[in-house]
Amino acid sequence: MRVGVFTGGGDAPGLNAAICGLGRRLVAQGVQLVGFRDGWRGLIEDRAESLDGVNYQHLLVHGGTLLGSSGDNPYRDPERDVPRVLATVARHRLDALVAIGGEGTLGAADRLWTEHRLPIVGVPKTIDNDLSATDFTFGFFSAVEVVTRAIDDLRSTAESHSRVIVVECMGRHAGWITAYSGVAAGAEAILVPERPAHIEELCQNLEKFRKAGARAAIVAAAEGCRVFENGECLSSMEKDEFGQYKTGGVADLLARRIQKRIGWESRAVVMGHLQRAGRPIAFDRIFALRLGAKAARLVLERRYGFMAALRAGEVIDVPLHEAVAERKTLTDQFLDRYETFFLPISSM
Ligand code: F6P
């Protein structure tokens, strides 16, 4: 059997561990694994790379992805690129393809399976944790760890200078990273896209903390959070070349507004790509390894159109379309459970 593998979308700690889980199980069964570089671009342009001789065991610990990645997708220009992908698969005589990616990568995988019966299996990754049909995606908890530790550390400098520090977290339109790390680090306010907020209320709450004796305050703000001022949303709604909303810059806007409105000196810290950088935490290594191994099992059983997923601690398989049908954002149940941490609670 010959199997192709690629990693698409933004990198996430654990990608190499997923390749390790897949590779070790397939190679043990005598399967030849072929890598494709740079996400779907590798299939469109036939950027094949031999994985013979890869030390899968050592690969496990490394961040990033051995295969490179991109946000490209054959459905950006389907008439030109879908036949190219199918031709690459035929040229390499692949029996199956394993797509390791998030919403965009797996969305294209689902369409290629549904529309062209391309034998494909998915593995979910994204630090954003916004894929449905799986409790978590690998990379998410590594990102949460980075932000939590950063907030822990920022508190000392915030207190030394009696400042507000607004910490901007990734996640696009999902507030998972911000919510988990904000709660874990005891942030004074947590702003997520799922719960719109007013700048007036945020400032009033910060003012209350200050009057009650707080030396500093940390505001954990998701890059996609929606904070309104005089009925207008402060965050940008511009789209990038892949049709995704351009996020980022909200911490700076918020810090300036807070300082202007209540005169509490404020600074912005953008966590940025540190959230995706470096080695995965142990949980993500093992989690990704299990998902990769599950994908290998699906391939060996010739069960295509499925994705490996985590549900209640068990690694199971789910139809690809279930994973990409809907973006998984913070639920009302989650927000209500941690209600007191999400300030200001909006009445919008
Ligand atoms: O989807 C993962 C993610 O890290 C988002 O959280 C973030 O908005 C985006 O990718 C950043 O993308 P890029 O690496 O292209 O700047």
Side-chain angles (χ1 to χ4, degrees):
M1 220 181 170
R2 288 172 58 82
V3 175
V5 57
F6 69 96
T7 54
D11 67 344
L15 280 169
N16 283 323
I19 298 171
C20 168
L22 177 80
R24 287 189 67 188
R25 181 161 282 175
L26 288 182
V27 171
Q29 295 299 316
V31 173
Q32 191 164 13
L33 193 58
V34 181
F36 288 87
R37 289 205 65 80
D38 311 326
W40 279 115
R41 177 92 346 234
L43 274 297
I44 295 167
E45 292 181 359
D46 196 352
R47 298 183 186 171
E49 184 171 289
S50 166
L51 292 177
D52 295 350
V54 165
N55 183 336
Y56 288 110
Q57 192 71 14
H58 291 168
L59 189 59
L60 175 76
V61 305
H62 297 291
T65 163
L66 163 85
L67 293 172
S69 196
S70 79
D72 218 340
N73 182 326
Y75 283 94
R76 285 174 69 198
D77 187 346
E79 283 190 14
R80 186 191 62 188
D81 290 341
V82 168
R84 287 186 180 181
V85 169
L86 300 176
T88 303
V89 170
R91 194 176 308 117
H92 288 274
R93 293 175 287 107
L94 299 179
D95 298 288
L97 195 57
V98 177
I100 309 178
E103 197 191 4
T105 305
L106 298 180
D110 180 42
R111 285 187 69 177
L112 283 162
W113 162 247
T114 314
E115 295 169 12
H116 299 277
R117 280 292 176 257
L118 185 73
I120 198 155
V121 162
V123 178
K125 72 81 222 180
T126 163
I127 62 161
D128 301 343
N129 195 38
D130 60 352
L131 269 179
S132 294
T134 181
D135 290 348
F136 295 104
T137 49
F138 67 78
F140 167 64
F141 283 111
S142 294
V144 167
E145 199 61 29
V146 168
V147 181
T148 304
R149 284 173 190 273
I151 297 180
D152 290 348
D153 291 345
L154 285 166
R155 197 167 282 284
S156 62
T157 174
E159 283 178 355
S160 302
H161 291 269
S162 301
R163 285 173 175 163
V164 174
I165 298 191
V166 185
V167 182
E168 182 173 311
C169 311
M170 280 185 170
R172 289 193 202 275
H173 297 282
W176 291 103
I177 297 175
T178 314
Y180 267 66
S181 44
V183 171
E188 276 67 24
I190 300 173
L191 302 169
V192 291
E194 294 84 349
R195 191 150 280 192
H198 295 281
I199 188 79
E200 293 88 348
E201 264 182 291
L202 173 66
C203 288
Q204 278 164 15
N205 278 310
L206 291 174
E207 193 58 4
K208 270 189 229 154
F209 288 136
R210 187 157 61 158
K211 291 213 169 107
R215 289 188 57 79
I218 302 286
V219 178
E223 60 181 355
C225 70
R226 289 180 296 145
V227 180
F228 286 79
E229 184 174 48
N230 304 324
E232 263 188 50
C233 187
L234 292 174
S235 33
S236 134
M237 297 306 276
E238 254 181 281
K239 287 190 178 176
D240 67 14
E241 56 177 321
F242 299 113
Q244 296 271 18
Y245 283 112
K246 274 191 191 169
T247 45
V250 79
D252 192 46
L253 286 172
L254 288 170
R256 285 171 196 274
R257 296 291 199 288
I258 293 165
Q259 183 160 326
K260 195 165 171 213
R261 280 175 171 264
I262 58 172
W264 195 348
E265 194 178 23
S266 302
R267 292 288 187 272
V269 170
V270 179
M271 292 304 304
H273 291 81
L274 281 170
Q275 291 159 101
R276 295 198 332 222
R279 286 173 293 175
I281 59 168
F283 174 85
D284 275 335
R285 294 181 199 186
I286 293 166
F287 178 23
L289 192 73
R290 290 174 72 195
L291 291 179
K294 176 68 179 181
R297 187 177 293 280
L298 288 169
V299 164
L300 292 168
E301 291 170 357
R302 294 183 158 73
R303 296 188 54 222
Y304 306 126
F306 287 94
M307 179 187 89
L310 185 77
R311 292 257 183 92
E314 293 299 318
V315 170
I316 57 158
D317 53 79
V318 294
L320 264 174
H321 63 84
E322 257 185 46
V324 295
E326 208 183 331
R327 179 182 291 138
K328 185 183 73 184
T329 51
L330 288 170
T331 57
D332 285 340
Q333 193 197 21
F334 180 94
L335 290 163
D336 293 344
R337 190 177 307 143
Y338 292 102
E339 190 175 28
T340 45
F341 296 97
F342 292 85
L343 297 171
I345 304 296
S346 170
S347 51
M348 291 178 73

